Amino acid sequence: GLDEGWLDGEGAPLAPAALESARTTVAELLRRETPAPRLYPTPEGGGQAEWTVGNCEISVTFQPDGSFTASQSTVCLASLMN
């Protein structure tokens, strides 16, 4: 795991709730044949999963408390609207 200060002296270790949320969410998406994401820690102790699908950039941020939010690029939104 990541130690306290992993990011140039800053950065919290990955919170267990964020890890579990990411693990279950990504596992469910992979069962649905979604491409594997790129995974990154966040300085707050959460994690982020990112996918590139065509012109779309999709991101899911997992918070230290286990909650998460999803977003997609404006390029993706524009292509969906055309």
Side-chain angles (χ1 to χ4, degrees), residues 57-76:
E57 291 288 331
I58 302 162
S59 175
V60 177
T61 302
F62 300 93
Q63 302 299 328
D65 67 2
S67 64
F68 62 89
T69 57
S71 62
Q72 56 191 8
S73 67
T74 55
V75 172
C76 180

Side-chain angles (χ1 to χ4, degrees), residues 1 9 13 22 34 38 53:
T34 303
R38 297 177 304 278
V53 181

Side-chain angles (χ1 to χ4, degrees), residues 10-79:
E10 305 284 325
L14 190 59
L19 180 59
E20 183 59 27
S21 181
R23 182 179 298 147
T24 57
T25 302
V26 170
E28 179 59 32
L29 291 170
L30 292 174
R31 276 193 287 278
R32 296 170 186 245
E33 299 185 14
T34 303
R38 297 177 304 278
L39 300 170
Y40 308 97
T42 64
E44 302 78 25
Q48 186 162 326
E50 296 179 352
W51 292 263
T52 302
V53 181
N55 292 335
C56 298
E57 291 288 331
I58 302 162
S59 175
V60 177
T61 302
F62 300 93
Q63 302 299 328
D65 67 2
S67 64
F68 62 89
T69 57
S71 62
Q72 56 191 8
S73 67
T74 55
V75 172
C76 180
L77 291 173
S79 68

